[in-house]
Every structure is written in C-alpha cells, then in structure tokens.
C-alpha cells in the first residue's frame, strides 16, 4: 500500500469550553493528520517533541502503524497551544502559543521517507513546508494546509509554497483572507490561480467544497451530528483522511477526489465527537465505512 508522509506540529493543547477545560491533551496538526490517514494507509510522520512527550502517546501512534523515525525528541518542552471556544463552538480564540522546541524546528526528512508518493504538509509555517519540499523527490501528490496566522505573517512564503502544491486545503475564512475575495467561488478560483490545481474549502458544519481546474465545484455537506464536543483538529483530520483515501486507492482522478472529500468529512465527524484525539483514535474502519454510506445516502436525490 502507498505510504503517506505527514509533516506538522505535535502538541499539547489546553482547551477551554464553556463548561469544561482540558489541560495539556494531545494535539497538533501532524498528530491529527497522521491518525486520520492511518485509517487508510501506513503513515510516516515528521515533527518534533520535547523530552516531556509521553511514552503512552508514542505507543498509541505506533499501534496505529505510524512510523515515528522522523519524530525528533529534543531537550525542552513540547509545543503547547491554548485556545478557548465560544459556547456554540462556532469559533475559537488562541490564548497562547508556546513554541518551545518548535522554535528551532527544521524538518529533516529521513532518507527512507524522501520518495514517499503522497505528502501532507500539515499546518506549520510555510517556510518550513517549503523546506520539506526541498528534501523530497517529486511526489505524486502534495496537499498543504495552512492557517490565518501564516496568511498574516508569512504571506510571501505562503505564495511561494502555493506554486508547488497540488491541493490546498483551508477553511472559508482563510480562503477569503488569502484571496481577498468574499464569494467562495471567486476565492477558490483566485487561489487556484496562485498555484494549486485543486482547492478544498472547508466550511465547518456546512461541509466542504472541492474545486478542480475550471470545473463546477463539488459540494459535500457535513454529516449532521447530535453531539459536537471539541472541533480541534477537524481540519487536520479532514486533510489526513482526504489524502489517506487517495493514497490507499492510488488514484488522483476527479472521481477519487470527490470520494476523498466524503471520507475526509466522515473522519472529521468522528474527530469532533470527542476531546483531543480520543474519538478519532477509537473510530473503527467499519464505523468509517458505515458513516460514508450514511453521508452518501444523505445527498442522494
Ligand atoms: P485545527 O483545529 O484543525 O485548526 O488544528 C488544531 C491544531 O493545530 C491544534 O492541535 C494545535 O496544536 C495546532 N496548532 C495551533 N496553532 C499552531 C501553529 N501556530 N502551528 C502549528 N500548529 C498549530
């Protein structure tokens, strides 16, 4: 089966909700992306953690067949992000970001990982994402995720990166911010003109929109859920599962990308049902298949 390379942050997150707080739970774009992708293919992960990173998390990732030979363990503390969600979970604010060992992180792609055909550039600075591309032989597909912070402070690096990625995945707010266009169709086209042939705009509980070449967009609603507990990592889970699905089938045609959006949405739906990675980790492959079918039925008419 085609392996997939994930590079991104590995973190402790402190999460505040209106009725509860969860200090220092496992998080990070690479963690969510790797776990989501591991439902489909073997995953190779590159990132950095401090000496405080627990063995239990390492074991949990290894049990999911995530190859951690690219995870550096260095002196110091693991990256820590703290955020607070509004009561209806529709938005969040960052309270603090402690870069810790991430401050000096320069991704080093092990020799054995350099020819990985499917690559997910999880949310880290676009300069670091570019450094990853410099170290690998031309993969079959490169998917990049980003966030508002980088659009604000590393705009030029992000524009350079976009020239070299095949698929850009971002949320509606970020798409508007980066393109300067409010209408999402216009925003998507503008982003495609910046480099990526394919743009996926996530709209949270309203689903996702896939834009490829100059075709009409493909729109998929999110699965309506009775209980949403913690949206952290939904975007990374979507991206990991989207790419994992494509890697598993070794297929990057339009039809496969549409199915990949469905699987990205399904895996993200598990992610938001539990705090941190708990529900994402516990979801069985059968449960993912069943929910994909439910989503399929939901949009059939
Ligand atoms: P998402 O909810 O998909 O946007 O991803 C949330 C994850 O992003 C959290 O687990 C954080 O640890 C991680 N994160 C937050 N800020 C940053 C940052 N500046 N760089 C890298 N990862 C971050």
């Amino acid at each position: 089966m085609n392996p997939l390379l994930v590079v991104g942050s590995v973190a402790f997150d402190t999460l505040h909700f209106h009725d509860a707080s969860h200090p220092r739970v496992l998080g990070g774009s690479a963690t969510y992306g790797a776990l989501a992708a591991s439902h489909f293919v073997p995953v190779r992960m590159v990132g950095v953690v401090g000496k405080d990173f627990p063995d239990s998390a390492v074991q949990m990732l290894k049990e999911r067949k995530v190859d951690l030979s690219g995870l550096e363990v260095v002196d110091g503390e693991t990256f820590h992000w703290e955020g607070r969600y509004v009561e209806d979970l529709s938005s969040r604010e960052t309270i603090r970001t402690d870069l810790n060992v991430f401050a000096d992180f320069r991704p080093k792609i092990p020799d054995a990982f350099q020819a990985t055909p499917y690559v997910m550039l999880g949310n880290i600075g676009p300069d670091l994402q570019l450094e990853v591309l410099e170290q690998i032989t031309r993969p079959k597909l490169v998917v990049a995720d980003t966030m508002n912070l980088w659009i604000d402070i590393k705009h030029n690096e992000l524009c350079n990166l976009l020239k070299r990625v095949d698929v850009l995945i971002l949320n509606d707010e970020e798409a508007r911010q980066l393109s300067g266009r409010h209408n999402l169709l216009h925003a998507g086209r503008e982003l495609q003109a910046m480099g990526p042939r394919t743009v996926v705009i996530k709209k949270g509980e309203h689903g996702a929109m896939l834009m490829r070449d100059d075709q009409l967009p493909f729109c998929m609603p999110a699965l309506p859920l009775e209980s949403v507990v913690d949206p952290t990592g939904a975007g990374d889970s979507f991206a990991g599962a989207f790419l994992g699905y494509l890697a598993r089938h070794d297929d990057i045609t339009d039809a496969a990308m549409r199915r990949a959006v469905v699987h990205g949405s399904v895996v993200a739906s598990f992610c938001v049902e539990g705090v941190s990675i708990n529900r994402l980790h516990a979801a069985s492959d059968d449960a993912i298949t069943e929910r994909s079918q439910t989503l399929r039925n939901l949009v059939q008419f």
Side-chain angles (χ1 to χ4, degrees):
M1 224 185 288
N2 274 299
L4 180 156
L5 173 67
V6 178
V7 186
S9 56
V10 181
F12 288 130
D13 291 342
T14 294
L15 308 171
H16 301 284
F17 301 100
H18 79 284
D19 55 352
S21 290
H22 302 277
R24 299 180 69 77
V25 292
L26 185 58
S29 55
T31 313
Y32 281 107
L35 279 175
S38 74
H39 285 288
F40 302 91
V41 283
V43 176
R44 300 163 167 182
M45 186 163 130
V46 170
V48 65
V49 292
K51 291 262 163 66
D52 56 351
F53 196 67
D55 276 348
S56 55
V58 169
Q59 284 316 318
M60 183 276 297
L61 287 162
K62 283 186 174 164
E63 276 161 24
R64 293 253 12 131
K65 304 264 182 303
V66 178
D67 183 335
L68 296 177
S69 43
L71 183 69
E72 280 179 72
V73 183
V74 300
D75 272 335
E77 287 181 46
T78 299
F79 174 79
H80 173 242
W81 174 79
E82 183 167 358
R84 183 189 309 280
Y85 284 87
V86 297
E87 187 166 347
D88 68 6
L89 302 176
S90 61
S91 65
R92 70 182 182 210
E93 58 164 341
T94 292
I95 297 173
R96 61 188 285 175
T97 302
D98 302 314
L99 289 176
N100 299 334
V101 295
F102 215 67
D104 300 316
F105 177 54
R106 306 288 300 269
K108 282 187 230 47
I109 311 299
D111 290 349
F113 288 4
Q114 286 171 8
T116 313
Y118 291 87
V119 175
M120 173 178 160
L121 300 175
N123 173 29
I124 47 174
D127 40 352
L128 299 183
Q129 291 172 313
L130 274 165
E131 279 187 30
V132 173
L133 294 183
E134 296 301 336
Q135 295 175 56
I136 56 180
T137 48
R138 174 71 202 154
K140 196 156 179 179
L141 199 76
V142 176
V143 170
D145 191 0
T146 192
M147 71 186 289
N148 49 4
L149 175 70
W150 311 122
I151 300 172
D152 282 337
I153 67 169
K154 298 227 160 132
H155 192 267
N156 290 345
E157 291 90 338
L158 188 54
C159 290
N160 288 337
L161 175 79
L162 290 187
K163 296 187 186 112
R164 299 184 53 185
V165 308
D166 302 299
V167 183
L168 174 66
I169 301 188
L170 72 186
N171 71 30
D172 44 3
E173 206 179 300
E174 293 155 358
R176 289 185 170 118
Q177 190 185 348
L178 183 55
S179 66
R181 307 292 292 261
H182 184 77
N183 176 303
L184 285 185
L185 206 53
H186 294 161
R189 294 282 179 241
E190 200 74 43
L191 296 172
Q192 284 179 297
M194 293 165 86
R197 182 177 166 194
T198 304
V199 172
V200 181
I201 301 179
K202 298 164 293 175
K203 299 183 287 172
E205 62 177 319
H206 303 297
M209 181 164 94
L210 167 80
M211 295 180 67
R212 199 156 149 77
D213 301 327
D214 55 359
Q215 297 162 18
L216 279 176
F218 169 68
C219 300
M220 179 54 56
L223 204 78
L225 297 173
E226 303 223 2
S227 151
V228 176
V229 172
D230 172 15
T232 313
D236 310 306
S237 304
F238 178 97
F242 173 87
L243 190 58
Y245 180 87
L246 295 173
R248 164 105 179 210
H249 296 275
D250 199 17
D251 186 351
I252 54 173
T253 57
D254 297 352
M257 291 228 178
R258 288 176 174 225
R259 291 194 298 272
V261 169
V262 173
H263 286 81
S265 302
V266 165
V267 173
S269 78
F270 284 108
C271 174
V272 303
E273 284 182 328
V275 173
S276 175
I277 51 98
N278 294 334
R279 185 80 177 96
L280 173 65
H281 173 239
S284 70
D285 293 350
D286 284 348
I288 291 172
T289 307
E290 197 182 312
R291 260 191 200 184
S292 312
Q293 194 52 50
T294 306
L295 191 51
R296 209 175 285 269
N297 295 341
L298 206 79
V299 295
Q300 224 146 33
F301 65 92

